[in-house]
């Protein structure tokens, strides 16, 4: 029995297999329409979500399974003081697999202990977001045809953005990735990532203050929202929230095949005028998220395509 807690839980080879499966699901959804018949997914979301929760639910439904769950701590017994491990233990009797999002770093790890069904970390505070990373890897592979030899600019809230932290860890395992971190001083990457990932693995990275100065170098521009809910004071959030806004003007010097990504939700860090640019990949990215989650559910439940059973 296997859980997904961190973007490094799967080896590079296992990821390759998972992304191939996701690609096949995208091409031939009919082959997988009954793969999870009779199985239930529980989505336990203690924090707001649109894409992650709904794409998990759509994924399970597309596999012929069913879903149950809650979408806020207020509508669960957490509001009465129940611990996460008690809730998860009870739910493991009602469902075959669990996806959980929690504002506290490490909450899903604690819940996974002694659990008899697979649990997926759907985001734990500012720490990790491994299923967004799977989504991002599928997007990069689909759009660039490879996961190595790329210059990736990450822009916005690099301090609190868990999608950034997870993606850096995952991409650090591929050859010749050059990271460019674009953020205000206050929202720079946490030291532990610089030490544990960049320095330990001798990976090229630099910090810059404007996206314009590096735009021509980028193969991928990964935009992020300033994470309002993780700030300690409102004044800092207001001061920093509009630090980086991508608009058509800033794309003038960009490569013709730049891939612009964003985990979404967007607040106003990408002008809606950019949406029609063929380099804007963020809505496709959200769709790929459904296919990788289908592949992930199948992998963790150990089920195969309809014809192979
Ligand atoms: C992200 C998250 O929850 O971390 N959203 C998502 O899952 N696509 C990004 C964000 O909230 O900014």
């Amino acid at each position: 029995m296997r859980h997904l807690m961190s973007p490094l839980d799967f080896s590079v080879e296992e990821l390759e297999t998972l992304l191939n499966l996701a690609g096949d699901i995208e091409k031939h959804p009919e082959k997988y329409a009954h793969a999870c018949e009779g199985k239930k997914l529980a989505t336990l979301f203690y924090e707001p979500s649109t894409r992650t929760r709904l794409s998990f639910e759509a994924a399970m439904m597309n596999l012929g399974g069913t879903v149950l769950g809650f979408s806020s701590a207020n509508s669960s017994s957490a509001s009465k003081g129940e611990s996460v491990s008690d809730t998860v233990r009870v739910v493991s009797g009602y469902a075959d697999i669990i996806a959980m999002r929690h504002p506290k770093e490490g909450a899903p790890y604690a819940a996974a202990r002694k659990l008899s069904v697979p649990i997926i970390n759907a985001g734990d505070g500012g720490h990790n977001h491994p299923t967004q990373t799977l989504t991002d890897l599928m997007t990069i592979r689909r759009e660039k045809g490879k996961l190595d030899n790329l210059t990736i600019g990450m822009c916005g809230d690099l301090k609190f953005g868990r999608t950034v932290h997870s993606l850096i860890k995952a991409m650090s395992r591929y050859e010749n990735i050059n990271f460019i971190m674009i953020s205000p001083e206050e929202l720079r990457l946490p030291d532990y990532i610089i030490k544990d990932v960049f320095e330990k693995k001798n990976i090229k990275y630099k910090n810059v203050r404007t996206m314009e100065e590096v735009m021509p170098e980028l193969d991928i521009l990964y935009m992020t929202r300033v994470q309002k809910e993780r700030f300690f004071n409102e004044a800092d959030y207001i001061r920093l929230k509009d630090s980086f806004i991508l608009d058509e003007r800033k794309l003038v010097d960009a490569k013709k095949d730049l891939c612009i990504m964003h985990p979404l939700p967007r607040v106003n860090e990408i002008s809606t005028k950019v949406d029609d640019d063929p380099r804007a990949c963020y809505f496709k990215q959200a769709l790929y998220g459904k296919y990788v989650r289908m592949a992930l559910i199948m992998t963790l439940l150990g089920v195969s395509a309809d014809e192979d059973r």
Side-chain angles (χ1 to χ4, degrees), residues 51-52 101 129 132 162-163 225 227 229 263-265:
R51 267 150 299 276
T52 305
R101 169 172 287 188
H129 192 346
Q132 181 64 46
R162 58 191 171 198
T163 63
R225 166 182 79 90
Q227 306 278 301
E229 66 278 30
L264 304 177

Side-chain angles (χ1 to χ4, degrees), residues 161-194:
R162 58 191 171 198
T163 63
V164 168
H165 305 162
S166 276
L167 185 57
I168 288 175
K169 293 174 199 164
M171 290 305 293
S172 72
R173 299 194 292 185
Y174 297 93
E175 288 297 307
N176 196 23
I177 301 293
N178 179 16
F179 289 99
I180 303 183
M181 314 314 293
I182 311 159
S183 75
E185 193 81 38
E186 296 91 327
L187 295 181
R188 281 200 181 162
L189 213 55
D191 276 348
Y192 83 90
I193 297 188
I194 295 179

Side-chain angles (χ1 to χ4, degrees), residues 237-253:
Y237 169 71
I238 291 170
R239 185 166 51 82
L240 293 167
K241 73 183 168 63
D242 292 328
S243 300
F244 293 100
I245 298 182
L246 177 65
D247 56 24
E248 310 133 284
R249 232 172 4 94
K250 296 191 180 136
L251 284 170
V252 168
D253 293 328

Side-chain angles (χ1 to χ4, degrees), residues 45 100 113 132 151 167-168 171 204 222 244:
F45 276 58
M100 186 176 114
R113 261 188 257 133
Q132 181 64 46
T151 296
L167 185 57
I168 288 175
M171 290 305 293
K204 274 182 278 171
Y222 194 92
F244 293 100

Side-chain angles (χ1 to χ4, degrees), residues 31-293:
K31 278 170 44 184
Y32 301 90
H34 306 283
C36 286
E37 223 149 60
K39 304 267 188 216
K40 294 188 198 73
L41 162 77
T43 50
L44 312 185
F45 276 58
Y46 295 84
E47 244 193 10
S49 169
T50 299
R51 267 150 299 276
T52 305
R53 187 171 61 83
L54 297 186
S55 68
F56 258 118
E57 297 189 355
M60 191 51 158
M61 290 186 224
N62 287 0
L63 293 168
T66 49
V67 296
L68 63 161
F70 53 80
S71 56
S72 77
N74 292 342
S75 65
S76 78
S77 284
S79 63
K80 299 180 188 169
E82 185 171 48
S83 72
V84 171
S85 23
D86 280 4
T87 304
V88 164
R89 188 163 172 181
V90 170
V91 172
S92 68
Y94 306 155
D96 303 282
I97 184 165
I98 296 173
M100 186 176 114
R101 169 172 287 188
H102 201 281
K104 270 214 191 96
E105 283 83 5
Y109 294 76
R113 261 188 257 133
K114 291 199 249 158
L115 200 63
S116 55
V117 302
I119 179 164
I120 300 165
N121 175 6
D124 63 321
H127 188 217
N128 278 327
H129 192 346
T131 65
Q132 181 64 46
T133 302
L134 296 178
T135 303
D136 298 341
L137 294 179
M138 179 169 182
T139 307
I140 296 172
R141 208 172 72 144
R142 282 290 313 265
E143 300 301 318
K144 309 301 301 178
K146 58 182 183 181
L147 286 166
D148 49 14
N149 295 299
L150 294 164
T151 296
I152 306 180
M154 301 190 129
C155 179
D157 189 343
L158 311 182
K159 178 174 182 187
F160 296 114
R162 58 191 171 198
T163 63
V164 168
H165 305 162
S166 276
L167 185 57
I168 288 175
K169 293 174 199 164
M171 290 305 293
S172 72
R173 299 194 292 185
Y174 297 93
E175 288 297 307
N176 196 23
I177 301 293
N178 179 16
F179 289 99
I180 303 183
M181 314 314 293
I182 311 159
S183 75
E185 193 81 38
E186 296 91 327
L187 295 181
R188 281 200 181 162
L189 213 55
D191 276 348
Y192 83 90
I193 297 188
I194 295 179
K195 289 207 180 77
D196 293 353
V197 186
F198 291 156
E199 290 176 1
K200 210 184 230 164
K201 297 181 151 189
N202 246 327
I203 291 170
K204 274 182 278 171
Y205 81 97
K206 64 178 172 185
N207 292 307
V208 298
R209 299 187 75 106
T210 67
M211 51 178 124
E212 292 89 321
E213 67 194 273
V214 291
M215 195 61 90
E217 298 173 47
L218 302 180
D219 299 306
I220 290 165
L221 174 58
Y222 194 92
M223 295 294 298
T224 61
R225 166 182 79 90
V226 176
Q227 306 278 301
K228 181 178 184 189
E229 66 278 30
R230 308 204 199 283
F231 272 74
F232 299 110
N233 81 64
E234 177 93 7
D236 283 348
Y237 169 71
I238 291 170
R239 185 166 51 82
L240 293 167
K241 73 183 168 63
D242 292 328
S243 300
F244 293 100
I245 298 182
L246 177 65
D247 56 24
E248 310 133 284
R249 232 172 4 94
K250 296 191 180 136
L251 284 170
V252 168
D253 293 328
K255 288 187 181 167
K256 294 280 163 282
D257 63 349
L258 170 71
C259 171
I260 306 166
M261 297 172 64
H262 191 310
L264 304 177
R266 151 175 65 188
V267 182
N268 55 1
E269 55 281 350
I270 303 182
S271 152
T272 52
K273 295 213 179 90
V274 175
D275 298 356
D276 296 327
D277 189 302
R279 292 169 289 191
C281 295
Y282 29 95
F283 289 112
K284 276 192 262 180
Q285 187 182 351
L287 179 60
Y288 296 146
K290 184 180 72 172
Y291 302 121
V292 279
R293 288 184 175 97

